[in-house]
Amino acid sequence: MESYLNENFGDVKPKNSSEEALERWRKLCWIVKNRKRRFRFTANLSKRFEAEAIRRSNQEKFRVAVLVSQAALQFIHGLNLSSEYDAPEEVKAAGFQICADELGSIVEGHDVKKLKIHGGVEDIAAKLSTSIVNGIPTSEHLVNERKRIYGINKFTETPPRGFWVFVWEALQDTTLMILAVCALVSLAVGITVEGWPKGAYDGLGIVLSILLVVFVTATSDYRQSLQFRDLDKEKKKITVQVTRDGLRQKISIFDLLPGDIVHLAIGDQVPADGLFISGFSVLINESSLTGESEPVSANARNPFLLSGTKVQDGSCKMLVTTVGMRTQWGKLMATLSEGGDDETPLQVKLNGVATIIGKIGLFFAVVTFAVLVQGLFSRKLQDGTQWIWSGDDAMEMLEFFAIAVTIVVVAVPEGLPLAVTLSLAFAMKKMMNDKALVRHLAACETMGSSTSICSDKTGTLTTNHMTVVKTCFCGETKEVSTSNKSNHFRSAVPESAVKILIESIFNNTGGEVVNNKENKIEILGTPTETALLEFGLLLGGDFQAERKASKIVKVEPFNSAKKRMGVVIEFPEGGLRVHCKGASEIILAACDKVISSNGDVVPLDEPTTNHLKNTIEQFASEALRTLCLAYMDVGTDFSVDSSLPLQGYTCIGIVGIKDPVRPGVKESVAICKSAGITVRMVTGDNINTAKAIAREIGILTDDGIAIEGPVFREKSEEELYELIPKIQVMARSSPMDKHTLVKHLRTSLGEVVAVTGDGTNDAPALHEADIGLAMGIAGTEVAKESADVIILDDNFSTIVTVAKWGRSVYINIQKFVQFQLTVNVVALIVNFTSACLTGNAPLTAVQLLWVNMIMDTLGALALATEPPNDDLMKRSPVGRKGNFISNTRGKAAFHLDGPDSDLILNTLIFNSFVFCQVFNEISSREMEKINVLKGILKNHVFVAVLSCTIIFQIVIVEFLGTFASTSPLTVQQWFVSVCLGFLGMPIAAALKLIPVGSN
């Protein structure tokens, strides 16, 4: 079977499966009872094709728009363009001077001419009643008017389906439809032959069973849909930085309105259509909207920013013009939202298993029906009544047909692939509570089989709460503490050096010091930037005053490949100065001068260089992150279009930033090792810093290797094959180093790799990995979109929790497969064997439907939602199968005689069979352990399902005999039934003692 499944259902991968592979397996699943239910949680390929068509249309549309705008530019320069636009009265009455449609046509059409007619970005801001400095006013009346005129930033979504929709879909089961027809015929024939109500019992029994199955199934599916809906809401939560009422604040993208001033940085998603106000080195990736991978520059000449695109480089301020369904992104998202997630490999393989077993079940159903009909004909031949057919004979034939159809109902394990979805949904919901947001279903499965985790250091293994604790300025090393007075620190450093230091900190930064919503000072930016800005404030610096003292004319944002960032500032009296900061050894190598102890700039000689290098190594060995700050005065002939100089800088000094190790990380690394998962640290930091922290938390061992990125990328393929298994730390790595490491681990060494990432440049590695893990706090939107799981608290311990839940999914599915297949096989054997030997089926259609519900819906609820235990991270799971005993000739054993002896015997068989499943369900809680009762009361769903099953079984046997073809049992018979069912537990325990190879 394994080879058949791999050949026909093995094309679907955990990530990036081809459309052909997704279509192929669907065609192979031809025995499906309910297509709507079976394929509910699979990708809607037609909607995906539709979305791709929209992308192609956008690509052509924007290409034409760019060509038209370029042509328009040649004509409008120098022309005196007068506005012919007049806003509708409704818009004017609301206090605005431009309508939503006009704004949409300007940005979406890249219409430079219209933009010029309206007076450019500043005049459009005025027409939107906003300020490019202070943003929109936030009084409730004005905000509501803005929403009424321009709409809200939400996309049209498929309305959630109500409970009755799931009831209707559950009724689409072909076998249930056939049984319903059988029930109607049974009612008609029964009432005609035996009258009301006696003749209606059999038919009503089937109808009530069908309704019970439908409503239980619909309830389970509806609850599942609610879980997915909650998770979808979490996936769409994105916040952006805006200025409103002159104050910086974070808001949801769904609260954005035209007129808002949005602050965008590298890795952000453009949240709405808008116009570029100001910024530096902005590159926009429009591939999500147009399919075009080449980035586009956004600047004053090309100010058009489109919703859904990504900031690949630089930072800027944007004026929001168009929101929601008025944007192309809104229309695309409305289509994409119906495309669904790719089905997971486990879902597909279990669909294959269901198809194979379905074929077997169909064969047994046909043979059983033939044997039962043959038995009826034989009896009539013996009685000589083969030409005389009564209503009772017709009812018996109908009952045979209903049994055959019900065997198909039981035999086709429709619940197998759906149990995967149920288990994944349960795991995703629980992981959400554990601070892990799963974006793709398959990630839950894949994480359970991960063998390697490549983790960032900063923010994942450490707290990401950074502070400057040591400095080296003017040749002196000093400790920094917030308790120290700023004037005490300044008194030890020449004023000229402090001045240039503060100038460097406040100008060469991607962060800001702003007034927040509560009108309090707040530092915005990455943890590193925040630490430096805090240090600048500690020195007595004034951020706003420093920014006003000069003008920033060029910015080169931090680049993980160059490991540096720089700015060019222009002074009011003339002259340009470059400030640069980054990896200490890289920036120091670019310096040929240094600020001396008396504040003078002197040549950087060898003793001073060695002193600074030793300082860097000393800071790094103390697990401090080190940065070097430098500057250079350049002539007025320097062009802002050219790159910043690479040499000739003056070293200002070195700062050592403390980023403590997260609590619990050391224990989590140890858990990973015991679970057979190798943890590797991949960081851009100094190698000594990385090694110090890696040793502290147990990643770097005596036989492991720590290597730097530049050394790693020089190795040949053969050297890498030998080297990579031993690498435990990679420092000063670039995103491509991480990508290369992941690729070799997966392809050459066959490992299942999980990778963490937070930056835009981490996207290739996140995409390449089996499981991409993006950071929820420090991660950019680009990284999050490329990831499979978002770690909401940026904590490595959460990654271990994800691995634990991944293993739990596999174990739960193994439990359910064991449980369901044993019920399938035994139900088939009992009815088929009995039909062959006695000419009767001991389990009626109603009883089989009840067994099917225990096996399918209730079994999935009980076993597929078992929470993980700590032992999952200590060994690999091993699957085993239980055993069952059935006896169809037991009248003598139970001393049964009289007219009801057959009915009582069949009831005993039915009751024993159900209790076999009850105890089998308990045994299936653990695949390897003997003690299956440990923690059973903690799983409230399991206890509730088991209790309901037992209670309803008692009701069926004792009170619903007329409908379910059962007879009330004595206390002794109940005791025997339960004991026979219980026998499965010691048999299962004995089987667990048989040694088998590990998975």
Side-chain angles (χ1 to χ4, degrees):
M1 182 185 281
E2 186 66 27
S3 60
Y4 172 81
L5 290 175
N6 288 332
E7 182 182 344
N8 295 282
F9 297 89
D11 292 340
V12 177
K13 307 299 179 190
K15 293 173 69 171
N16 314 316
S17 293
S18 66
E19 304 293 341
E20 293 78 12
L22 295 178
E23 282 186 281
R24 184 167 176 261
W25 77 265
R26 287 167 168 77
K27 293 175 183 176
L28 293 170
C29 294
W30 58 273
I31 296 185
V32 178
K33 294 189 293 183
N34 189 336
R35 298 194 74 83
K36 282 193 174 180
R37 186 166 183 253
R38 174 82 78 89
F39 299 117
R40 179 183 294 138
F41 296 105
T42 56
N44 187 331
L45 299 181
S46 62
K47 285 294 179 184
R48 291 191 176 184
F49 293 140
E50 191 179 323
E52 192 54 41
I54 292 175
R55 280 200 183 96
R56 286 195 297 270
S57 171
N58 287 342
Q59 186 176 2
E60 183 60 24
K61 183 190 299 183
F62 294 139
R63 188 182 67 81
V64 171
V66 169
L67 292 174
V68 170
S69 66
Q70 288 172 347
L73 274 172
Q74 297 176 12
F75 291 97
I76 63 177
H77 283 305
L79 294 179
N80 184 19
L81 297 170
S82 58
S83 173
E84 299 174 1
Y85 172 78
D86 187 35
E89 289 302 320
E90 182 188 20
V91 174
K92 290 180 180 177
F96 308 108
Q97 299 300 318
I98 189 168
C99 70
D101 290 337
E102 182 74 0
L103 284 167
S105 67
I106 291 171
V107 178
E108 189 178 314
H110 287 58
D111 199 324
V112 179
K113 184 179 178 181
K114 271 189 181 179
L115 180 61
K116 202 79 173 176
I117 287 172
H118 283 285
V121 177
E122 289 196 19
D123 282 7
I124 283 184
K127 291 179 179 182
L128 279 167
S129 298
T130 188
S131 160
I132 61 174
V133 176
N134 296 321
I136 64 172
T138 54
S139 68
E140 187 177 351
H141 170 70
L142 292 175
V143 167
N144 289 337
E145 283 294 284
R146 205 174 284 273
K147 287 179 181 178
R148 183 176 66 83
I149 297 297
Y150 298 109
I152 57 175
N153 199 32
K154 289 187 178 177
F155 313 128
T156 302
E157 295 180 355
T158 306
R161 293 186 294 182
F163 173 73
W164 293 106
V165 175
F166 288 97
V167 171
W168 174 249
E169 286 190 358
L171 282 167
Q172 306 303 303
D173 190 309
T174 307
T175 52
L176 291 184
M177 290 180 186
I178 295 171
L179 283 176
V181 172
C182 290
L184 292 174
V185 175
S186 176
L187 280 170
V189 175
I191 292 172
T192 302
V193 174
E194 300 184 48
W196 177 269
K198 187 178 179 182
Y201 289 151
D202 288 344
L204 284 176
I206 297 175
V207 170
L208 290 174
S209 298
I210 290 171
L211 290 176
L212 181 63
V213 169
V214 165
F215 276 94
V216 171
T217 301
T219 302
S220 172
D221 291 349
Y222 179 62
R223 287 180 68 252
Q224 207 169 321
S225 75
L226 293 178
Q227 287 183 323
F228 278 114
R229 197 189 311 168
D230 291 342
L231 289 165
D232 279 339
K233 286 180 183 176
E234 290 295 332
K235 289 180 191 177
K236 294 170 184 173
K237 283 185 178 178
I238 300 174
T239 58
V240 289
Q241 290 272 354
V242 300
T243 298
R244 286 183 171 182
D245 282 330
L247 303 173
R248 280 283 283 273
Q249 52 195 280
K250 280 186 178 181
I251 64 169
S252 166
I253 60 167
F254 301 124
D255 295 330
L256 273 181
L257 294 169
D260 263 321
I261 306 302
V262 178
H263 301 262
L264 297 173
I266 183 170
D268 285 346
Q269 176 177 305
V270 179
D273 285 1
L275 295 168
F276 175 92
I277 298 172
S278 62
F280 300 96
S281 311
V282 180
L283 287 178
I284 303 294
N285 186 327
E286 297 183 346
S287 60
S288 56
L289 193 61
T290 68
E292 186 62 57
S293 58
E294 192 66 28
V296 177
S297 292
N299 47 46
R301 293 185 61 190
N302 179 37
F304 308 108
L305 297 166
L306 299 170
S307 177
T309 58
K310 309 293 189 303
V311 182
Q312 187 168 310
D313 203 359
S315 59
C316 69
K317 282 204 308 184
M318 178 188 93
L319 169 68
V320 175
T321 58
T322 318
V323 293
M325 289 304 295
R326 295 181 186 275
T327 67
Q328 277 299 318
W329 181 247
K331 296 165 191 170
L332 180 62
M333 285 302 293
T335 306
L336 273 178
S337 64
E338 299 177 38
D341 259 348
D342 280 358
E343 45 271 29
T344 74
L346 196 53
Q347 274 179 298
V348 173
K349 283 199 173 183
L350 288 180
N351 266 292
V353 172
T355 301
I356 294 169
I357 295 172
K359 292 176 183 177
I360 298 169
L362 185 61
F363 170 78
F364 272 94
V366 172
V367 173
T368 302
F369 179 69
V371 168
L372 291 172
V373 171
Q374 187 268 337
L376 176 62
F377 269 97
S378 298
R379 289 199 307 274
K380 292 186 73 65
L381 281 171
Q382 288 174 359
D383 298 340
T385 58
Q386 67 270 25
W387 304 111
I388 303 170
W389 291 81
S390 64
D392 287 341
D393 294 329
M395 287 292 288
E396 197 168 353
M397 284 280 287
L398 191 65
E399 174 68 13
F400 292 163
F401 182 70
I403 288 171
V405 173
T406 313
I407 284 175
V408 176
V409 173
V410 176
V412 179
E414 199 91 326
L416 272 184
L418 294 171
V420 180
T421 314
L422 177 63
S423 187
L424 291 172
F426 176 76
M428 288 166 72
K429 185 76 174 176
K430 293 296 183 182
M431 278 194 275
M432 186 70 209
N433 297 334
D434 290 336
K435 304 298 182 184
L437 172 60
V438 179
R439 296 186 70 252
H440 301 132
L441 274 177
C444 284
E445 286 177 22
T446 315
M447 196 66 198
S449 46
S450 59
T451 58
S452 180
I453 298 176
C454 297
S455 174
D456 285 334
K457 175 184 72 68
T458 306
T460 308
L461 300 172
T462 60
T463 61
N464 219 12
H465 296 151
M466 300 191 189
T467 50
V468 176
V469 294
K470 277 193 173 184
T471 64
C472 178
F473 294 117
C474 301
E476 289 192 35
T477 301
K478 290 188 175 295
E479 291 192 4
V480 180
S481 170
T482 52
S483 61
N484 291 343
K485 299 294 184 183
S486 61
N487 57 4
H488 173 73
F489 187 91
R490 293 184 70 150
S491 63
V493 180
E495 190 59 31
S496 59
V498 173
K499 186 176 182 299
I500 198 76
L501 173 61
I502 291 175
E503 182 182 275
S504 177
I505 289 172
F506 287 154
N507 284 291
N508 186 23
T509 179
E512 285 188 78
V513 180
V514 299
N515 289 331
N516 64 15
K517 201 173 182 180
E518 286 76 36
N519 208 17
K520 294 179 180 177
I521 289 179
E522 182 180 355
I523 301 175
L524 303 174
T526 65
T528 305
E529 297 287 10
T530 301
L532 284 172
L533 290 172
E534 281 180 349
F535 179 55
L537 294 175
L538 184 69
L539 292 174
D542 185 329
F543 180 84
Q544 301 300 338
E546 200 63 46
R547 280 295 182 92
K548 289 174 183 176
S550 59
K551 177 186 176 184
I552 297 175
V553 295
K554 182 179 178 64
V555 175
E556 280 193 4
F558 179 81
N559 184 297
S560 54
K562 293 180 181 177
K563 304 208 177 296
R564 59 193 286 169
M565 82 165 286
V567 298
V568 180
I569 60 174
E570 183 180 13
F571 297 107
E573 63 275 11
L576 299 173
R577 178 173 288 167
V578 181
H579 280 285
C580 188
K581 74 178 179 195
S584 298
E585 60 270 30
I586 294 174
I587 301 300
L588 184 59
C591 296
D592 56 16
K593 294 179 285 296
V594 68
I595 299 178
S596 68
S597 56
N598 57 10
D600 297 330
V601 175
V602 297
L604 185 58
D605 55 23
E606 189 173 346
T608 308
T609 302
N610 291 335
H611 171 69
L612 290 171
K613 285 181 178 179
N614 291 336
T615 301
I616 293 168
E617 289 186 12
Q618 177 61 34
F619 285 6
S621 65
E622 296 173 19
L624 300 182
R625 191 175 198 187
T626 64
L627 288 177
C628 182
L629 286 69
Y631 79 100
M632 175 198 296
D633 288 319
V634 293
T636 53
D637 57 342
F638 175 80
S639 171
V640 294
D641 294 327
S642 58
S643 298
L644 298 186
L646 298 177
Q647 297 292 330
Y649 288 91
T650 300
C651 177
I652 301 172
I654 312 288
V655 293
I657 300 173
K658 181 70 175 175
D659 186 12
V661 171
R662 280 185 182 273
V665 164
K666 187 174 182 179
E667 292 78 4
S668 297
V669 170
I671 289 172
C672 284
K673 287 185 176 181
S674 67
I677 301 173
T678 303
V679 182
R680 293 176 172 87
M681 178 194 289
V682 184
T683 178
D685 247 345
N686 180 287
I687 191 166
N688 291 321
T689 306
K691 285 163 69 174
I693 291 179
R695 282 200 182 93
E696 183 180 345
I697 60 179
I699 288 179
L700 184 60
T701 58
D702 293 338
D703 55 350
I705 291 175
I707 193 171
E708 289 188 309
V711 178
F712 174 81
R713 67 184 78 116
E714 293 297 322
K715 300 292 183 182
S716 66
E717 292 291 320
E718 294 76 16
E719 289 174 317
L720 287 177
Y721 187 80
E722 295 294 326
L723 181 68
I724 284 177
K726 301 172 187 175
I727 292 177
Q728 293 176 340
V729 175
M730 187 188 292
R732 289 295 182 225
S733 65
S734 69
M736 285 314 297
D737 293 332
K738 184 187 284 189
H739 181 270
T740 304
L741 176 64
V742 171
K743 189 173 181 180
H744 274 82
L745 284 169
R746 290 184 67 237
T747 56
S748 302
L749 302 175
E751 299 218 31
V752 179
V753 186
V755 172
T756 69
D758 52 17
T760 304
N761 292 327
D762 286 326
L766 291 169
H767 190 268
E768 174 69 28
D770 295 290
I771 313 102
L773 304 162
M775 299 299 107
I777 300 170
T780 63
E781 289 306 319
V782 172
K784 291 175 187 177
E785 191 172 90
S786 300
D788 305 295
V789 180
I790 298 173
I791 307 300
L792 298 175
D793 60 356
D794 291 13
N795 193 340
F796 183 81
S797 299
T798 304
I799 298 172
V800 179
T801 303
V802 173
K804 188 187 293 185
W805 273 107
R807 292 194 175 191
S808 174
V809 167
Y810 261 105
I811 289 289
N812 287 346
I813 297 306
Q814 281 183 312
K815 293 172 186 175
F816 181 65
V817 168
Q818 171 185 292
F819 172 70
Q820 189 172 50
L821 293 190
T822 46
V823 179
N824 274 91
V825 171
V826 174
L828 285 175
I829 290 173
V830 167
N831 262 23
F832 177 73
T833 307
S834 181
C836 291
L837 295 177
T838 67
N840 290 300
L843 300 179
T844 66
V846 172
Q847 292 169 356
L848 281 172
L849 283 173
W850 168 234
V851 168
N852 181 66
M853 193 166 71
I854 295 173
M855 172 189 71
D856 199 335
T857 309
L858 298 180
L861 274 173
L863 292 172
T865 57
E866 187 81 27
N869 57 58
D870 293 336
D871 291 335
L872 285 176
M873 299 303 284
K874 293 178 183 176
R875 54 186 175 183
S876 300
V878 179
R880 295 186 177 88
K881 291 185 179 179
N883 196 9
F884 296 89
I885 298 173
S886 180
N887 184 2
T888 58
R889 296 184 176 183
K891 290 186 186 180
F894 293 110
H895 307 291
L896 299 177
D897 51 25
D900 291 334
S901 58
D902 284 328
L903 181 61
I904 294 172
L905 178 61
N906 286 344
T907 303
L908 274 167
I909 293 171
F910 168 57
N911 205 36
S912 301
F913 183 70
V914 169
F915 275 97
C916 275
Q917 307 325 312
V918 169
F919 287 108
N920 182 31
E921 207 165 341
I922 296 171
S923 293
S924 296
R925 288 188 70 245
E926 290 288 350
M927 300 296 293
E928 294 182 327
K929 290 185 177 179
I930 303 297
N931 183 5
V932 294
L933 300 178
K934 182 181 178 182
I936 192 171
L937 296 178
K938 294 180 181 178
N939 188 346
H940 304 302
V941 175
F942 187 92
V943 173
V945 167
L946 217 60
S947 302
C948 290
T949 303
I950 294 169
I951 291 168
F952 203 70
Q953 178 65 15
I954 294 170
V955 172
I956 287 174
V957 171
E958 295 295 323
F959 305 107
L960 298 179
T962 307
F963 297 100
S965 302
T966 58
S967 173
L969 301 177
T970 65
V971 174
Q972 291 85 352
Q973 289 166 343
W974 270 103
F975 180 75
V976 169
S977 296
V978 174
C979 286
L980 285 173
F982 176 76
L983 281 176
M985 287 190 72
I987 292 171
L991 287 172
K992 290 175 184 179
L993 296 174
I994 300 172
V996 294
S998 60
N999 288 347

